[in-house]
Amino acid sequence: CICQKQPFTNKAVLYFSRPKTYSGSGVNAKIIVNGSEGGILGYGEYIEHSIKPGNFTIKIKPSGFHLGMRGDSISGTGSSGDIFFYIVTIQQSLLGMNFEITETTESGFKQSQ
């Protein structure tokens, strides 16, 4: 499902995966890239989102019924043809559950599916 670096493209590509876990399976993750919605990531799904080269910020927010669940964010810089891989998980704490986004390798991304 993953493509290789495309040297002649004018975009950077972001891939997001959400592993199948019991915790928080009923809450979708809304992906927001540079202030615009990049998609909704459900339980056990992955999505692809292309952006213009340069600095970018990714925010993960709960979508739907979430009872105060918090999101997470991460930033990066991409050049034309770059590919980035992220895993979105839910972390439990004493105060509830929170989304967490972690950058990974292509291999780590494939293993998360």
Side-chain angles (χ1 to χ4, degrees):
C1 74
I2 308 305
C3 60
Q4 295 180 359
K5 184 171 181 169
Q6 302 295 321
F8 300 110
T9 183
N10 61 352
K11 300 280 184 180
V13 180
L14 312 174
Y15 286 95
F16 302 92
S17 175
R18 183 164 170 209
K20 290 182 180 180
T21 59
Y22 178 74
S23 178
S25 60
V27 180
N28 290 330
K30 183 184 287 189
I31 311 258
I32 301 167
V33 182
N34 294 334
S36 298
E37 187 172 322
I40 303 288
L41 189 60
Y43 169 77
E45 296 180 342
Y46 79 92
I47 59 174
E48 172 187 334
H49 183 73
S50 297
I51 60 169
K52 293 179 183 177
N55 296 332
F56 60 89
T57 301
I58 302 164
K59 293 182 182 181
I60 307 296
K61 295 185 176 184
S63 176
F65 185 71
H66 54 80
L67 288 176
M69 189 174 176
R70 292 182 301 184
D72 196 12
S73 64
I74 195 168
S75 298
T77 302
S79 299
S80 293
D82 282 353
I83 300 174
F84 296 89
F85 301 95
Y86 298 96
I87 298 174
V88 177
T89 57
I90 292 181
Q91 301 300 316
Q92 291 185 328
S93 69
L94 285 173
L95 302 175
M97 295 187 303
N98 305 309
F99 276 113
E100 184 175 273
I101 184 169
T102 305
E103 188 170 2
T104 188
T105 62
E106 181 175 1
S107 175
F109 183 86
K110 287 179 180 178
Q111 290 176 5
S112 74
Q113 297 178 338

